[in-house]
Amino acid sequence: MLSQLVSLLENKENGLSLSEISRMMNAQPSAVMAMIALLVQKGKLVEIGPDGKSCAACGLESDCNLLAARGKRYACASPVQPGEGMGGKFAIIN
Amino acid sequence: MTITTAPTEVFRLDYGSKLEREIARLVACFEENNFDPGRYPRRWLAIKLLEADPDILARVQSMPNGAQVIAIARLSAEKLKSLLGDDVDLLTADHRYGYINGVVRQTLQRPLLDRLTLTDRIDNIVTHKWLGLPFFFLVMYLVFRLVIDVSAPFLDWTDAVINGPLAGWLTFILGLLPAPAWIHSLVIDGIVAGVGGVLVFVPGLLILYFFLALLEDSGYMSRAAFVMDRFMRVVGLHGKSFIPMILGFGCAVPAVYATRTIASRRDRTLTALLVPLMSCSARLPVYVVFGLAFFGSRAGTVIWAMYALGIVVAMLAGMVFTRTILKPDVSSAFVLELPPYRQPALKSVLIHMWENTREFVRKAGTTILAAAVVMWLLLNLPWGVANQRDSYFGKVSGAIAPVFAPLGFDNWETGGALVSGFMAKEIVVSTLSQVYLGGEEAQAIEPTTFGEDLLGIGQGFAEATFSSGKILLSIIPGINLMDATAEAEDTALSLALRKQFTPLSALALLVFVLLYVPCVATLGAIRHEFGRSWAITSGLYQTLLAWVAALMVYQVGRLLGFG
């Protein structure tokens, strides 16, 4: 599931929101949120702002009207190459 | 009787051959290194050590031969990472989630989320190609009707408290001190009239921010941006630019900074030029004062019309800029997340409401207080001037006033108030209060005790709450709790303004206030983000636009016989 989630976000420059990810994975948002939290904690995913840049660099994350209006989005922390990391594992299994 | 139980099969999740091999090796090394795991199951402990669970590592470290086992586990974890490309804790979590997902799919059939279905059904209407925009304007109309109608009794109450008991207490305290007459005049005619004239609108702002927070937290605001996308494209922008514009309904300064989220420099510049045309909350006191004084029960409609006019003029101005100095570059796609509708949390709405209103009150205590003192000085210099018309303020305002003659308001008081509004738009009301009310002789009020004042304040608040409740209920179709003959109470400022304006010239003034030069803080933000020339462009084009629009309102109105 985690590898599926990471590969879902590969090459998605503008990232995906929680509801988009849960719809694509056909899973409950609450379940997906726990996976996202783990992947963010491990540095595999980043929360991004409406401009497509990481919120971590902004510092206004907790008070951002734009995030509140648009909802949070998530993207891969860095492009994952085949054979590398979660994406690589997913590719091997399939 | 004997009870026999079937042997239970121990559940064991398969983590895949590579991981399982390392788990087995680690379990075996427990024996080899004379390590006793105590109460922990061996396999579970091996997995935790491979995952580098900090709590387990600390416990094992303190056990006999634990350090050797940890060293072996670290080597195994590194080996797995080089083989599989990830930390062991992520690999095991991946297997667990995969297993859970499989079990859930095989055992549970779940209909689509009701909330999602409801969201889709609501979106079919509110984001509809043709219904979406009328719905947006209807929502904004309802919000402003509620703000004006529901807050009106509280505005009267606040006005009565500030100009009644509060002014009375300050007069009493000043009477006890050996304060000269000019200090008394500064406090009562300057600060109470100026700052108090603006603070009167705090209840209205609380209610406005309450409804805006409801719209934002429910998820509707992102729909508004979506609906506006089609219209934004007409002016060479996209719906992304409407988000800073929505923020502009609160304050233009953060809205200008919010344009940073727009990728194209040209789109950013154009959005920043249009943002100040969105009616910020600082203009609301001006609308309310003139709306209630000249349009009575139609005040809500007039104020809504000001907000709508701001949007329409922004569209038109955008079209002109797009065809002249800011021609469109390559358009980028607009990606907007429409979150599911949710019930706003009352606590979050109240925090939002309070934080925004607190900023207004803070401004009243700093910028507007300073402006009120400066204005009082200008109205009283040269020292001892008998008529305010002969003061420095009166002379400068008198020189400016003819510019506004074609717009229907060439009195020096209004000219001066509009100039002072460059500092902050609320100061227009503050200055008008000082000019019209500051110089008035105080009406003879029957002396009351402190206790009677407090009782009166409490009773007034209860009556205002009761009246607002009746108004709120009367909005529901079929319920009418309002006395048809009841009229909003006239404030002293309303009465003074009626001597200077007609409803048509008041409307022209409102249009001018809506569109004219942004406040100094907004121009500062534009200068900071886009440079001095764009800040000057913004100030000049808006003032010219405001003058022309107010001229059209007044002159066309006169031609139609409304003057």
Side-chain angles (χ1 to χ4, degrees):
Chain A
M1 287 293 280
L2 294 180
S3 49
Q4 191 189 342
L5 203 160
V6 172
S7 52
L8 195 68
L9 288 164
E10 276 177 40
N11 306 321
K12 292 272 190 315
E13 209 174 300
N14 288 313
L16 291 172
S17 69
L18 174 62
S19 55
E20 285 169 337
I21 296 169
S22 59
R23 255 183 262 183
M24 286 178 180
M25 293 182 71
N26 195 19
Q28 290 286 300
S30 54
V32 175
M33 194 62 234
M35 294 181 215
I36 290 174
L38 177 65
L39 289 168
V40 170
Q41 186 199 332
K42 295 296 289 182
K44 294 282 170 189
L45 301 185
V46 285
E47 204 169 270
I48 57 168
D51 55 354
K53 290 175 187 162
S54 167
C55 290
C58 175
L60 286 172
E61 187 189 353
S62 62
D63 199 29
C64 180
N65 287 329
L66 296 170
L67 270 185
R70 295 193 51 197
K72 290 179 179 176
R73 300 182 79 80
Y74 301 92
C76 280
S78 56
V80 182
Q81 300 302 320
E84 180 189 306
M86 308 294 299
K89 185 172 168 250
F90 188 68
I92 292 162
I93 288 167
N94 288 285
Chain B
M1 191 177 74
T2 55
I3 299 170
T4 54
T5 55
T8 51
E9 194 181 328
V10 176
F11 170 75
R12 180 172 286 189
L13 178 64
D14 186 351
Y15 288 103
S17 59
K18 293 188 178 77
L19 256 166
E20 286 293 341
R21 200 180 307 137
E22 289 305 314
I23 294 167
R25 275 185 58 187
L26 199 54
V27 169
C29 95
F30 291 167
E31 305 288 340
E32 290 161 15
N33 289 278
N34 295 323
F35 173 73
D36 178 14
R39 61 196 169 97
Y40 300 117
R42 285 161 190 268
R43 179 181 162 83
W44 179 85
L45 188 65
I47 293 168
K48 289 289 134 192
L49 288 173
L50 287 172
E51 286 177 347
D53 184 305
D55 188 39
I56 295 299
L57 286 177
R59 284 165 194 255
V60 170
Q61 185 75 40
S62 63
M63 293 159 79
N65 302 326
Q68 287 161 265
V69 171
I70 288 173
I72 295 166
R74 279 202 180 123
L75 284 174
S76 290
E78 277 167 24
K79 185 178 162 191
L80 283 169
K81 187 172 182 179
S82 66
L83 271 174
L84 300 173
D86 262 313
D87 292 336
V88 177
D89 57 345
L90 265 183
L91 297 169
T92 53
D94 192 28
H95 278 283
R96 288 180 197 130
Y97 277 121
Y99 177 79
I100 293 163
N101 187 47
V103 170
V104 170
R105 278 176 193 228
Q106 282 175 26
T107 55
L108 187 69
Q109 280 195 323
R110 199 180 342 238
L112 271 177
L113 281 174
D114 286 345
R115 193 177 60 160
L116 197 66
T117 316
L118 181 65
T119 292
D120 290 340
R121 276 195 299 233
I122 297 171
D123 277 349
N124 282 343
I125 299 167
V126 304
T127 61
H128 187 268
K129 193 176 177 184
W130 301 112
L131 297 177
L133 200 68
F135 185 84
F136 168 68
F137 281 108
L138 180 69
V139 167
M140 297 312 277
Y141 173 74
L142 278 177
V143 166
F144 293 115
R145 273 301 301 270
L146 282 168
V147 169
I148 299 308
D149 293 351
V150 176
S151 68
F154 287 108
L155 298 188
D156 290 338
W157 172 75
T158 320
D159 185 42
V161 170
I162 290 173
N163 292 306
L166 191 65
W169 295 337
L170 286 170
T171 306
F172 175 74
I173 292 168
L174 289 168
L176 294 178
L177 302 172
W182 69 267
I183 292 275
H184 185 276
S185 169
L186 172 66
V187 172
I188 303 299
D189 301 339
I191 295 172
V192 173
V195 179
V198 171
L199 285 179
V200 162
F201 298 95
V202 167
L205 286 172
L206 278 169
I207 295 172
L208 172 71
Y209 285 126
F210 176 80
F211 286 115
L212 288 182
L214 276 186
L215 291 179
E216 205 170 302
D217 288 6
S218 66
Y220 178 70
M221 277 307 194
S222 50
R223 269 80 185 175
F226 176 79
V227 164
M228 289 304 290
D229 182 54
R230 203 150 45 99
F231 288 83
M232 299 302 285
R233 285 185 188 280
V234 173
V235 299
L237 291 171
H238 48 56
K240 207 176 198 178
S241 297
F242 195 65
I243 294 173
M245 290 189 173
I246 288 175
L247 296 179
F249 284 132
C251 177
V253 176
V256 167
Y257 286 112
T259 60
R260 287 182 187 184
T261 58
I262 300 167
S264 149
R265 169 85 185 174
R266 174 260 172 198
D267 288 359
R268 281 188 64 202
T269 312
L270 180 52
T271 307
L273 287 176
L274 303 184
V275 156
L277 294 171
M278 298 296 108
S279 201
C280 68
S281 58
R283 290 162 171 132
L284 190 65
V286 188
Y287 301 157
V288 174
V289 162
F290 282 85
L292 291 176
F294 293 95
F295 304 102
S297 60
R298 293 200 187 99
T301 310
V302 169
I303 293 169
W304 170 80
M306 288 299 121
Y307 281 79
L309 182 67
I311 297 172
V312 171
V313 172
M315 300 285 127
L316 295 174
M319 286 169 77
V320 172
F321 281 125
T322 300
R323 282 156 182 76
T324 53
I325 53 173
L326 285 166
K327 292 195 173 148
D329 48 15
V330 181
S331 151
S332 57
F334 175 41
V335 182
L336 178 70
E337 160 74 355
L338 299 178
Y341 288 104
R342 49 187 178 262
Q343 190 179 340
L346 183 63
K347 189 180 169 191
S348 153
V349 169
L350 293 178
I351 289 172
H352 190 109
M353 179 176 101
W354 168 241
E355 281 181 350
N356 283 303
T357 311
R358 187 180 57 189
E359 181 56 27
F360 181 83
V361 175
R362 192 194 62 77
K363 207 155 107 181
T366 51
T367 314
I368 296 168
L369 175 67
V373 172
V374 171
M375 211 53 70
W376 178 85
L377 274 173
L378 291 175
L379 280 164
N380 286 281
L381 289 175
W383 201 244
V385 66
N387 189 338
Q388 288 182 333
R389 181 75 180 81
D390 301 322
S391 65
Y392 289 159
F393 179 82
K395 281 180 182 161
V396 173
S397 304
I400 297 165
V403 175
F404 301 113
L407 316 185
F409 43 90
D410 60 346
N411 54 76
W412 65 271
E413 297 94 333
T414 310
L418 289 173
V419 172
S420 67
F422 177 59
M423 293 302 294
K425 293 290 185 283
E426 304 94 322
I427 294 175
V428 173
V429 171
S430 162
T431 307
L432 288 174
S433 298
Q434 276 184 283
V435 173
Y436 286 127
L437 308 180
E440 277 189 354
E441 286 299 317
Q443 290 174 353
I445 303 167
E446 211 171 295
T448 51
T449 63
F450 185 68
E452 285 170 341
D453 281 345
L454 287 182
L455 191 66
I457 291 171
Q459 276 178 344
F461 184 78
E463 282 166 17
T465 309
F466 185 64
S467 299
S468 286
K470 280 205 297 186
I471 292 166
L472 193 60
L473 286 174
S474 298
I475 287 166
I476 302 168
I479 299 177
N480 186 14
L481 302 173
M482 298 307 297
D483 178 1
T485 59
E487 279 290 325
E489 217 174 288
D490 279 324
T491 61
L493 186 57
S494 298
L495 295 170
L497 289 173
R498 276 198 213 125
K499 292 176 191 161
Q500 302 287 340
F501 289 85
T502 63
L504 184 60
S505 62
L507 189 64
L509 177 93
L510 291 186
V511 171
F512 189 84
V513 169
L514 164 71
L515 303 174
Y516 87 124
V517 63
C519 70
V520 69
T522 305
L523 285 182
I526 295 174
R527 180 177 169 273
H528 182 236
E529 290 293 291
F530 303 97
R532 187 188 297 258
S533 59
W534 283 115
I536 294 170
T537 305
S538 175
L540 287 179
Y541 105 83
Q542 277 201 228
T543 307
L544 184 66
L545 185 65
W547 194 87
V548 172
L551 178 79
M552 283 169 65
V553 168
Y554 185 66
Q555 297 300 342
V556 172
R558 279 183 67 196
L559 284 175
L560 294 174
F562 293 116

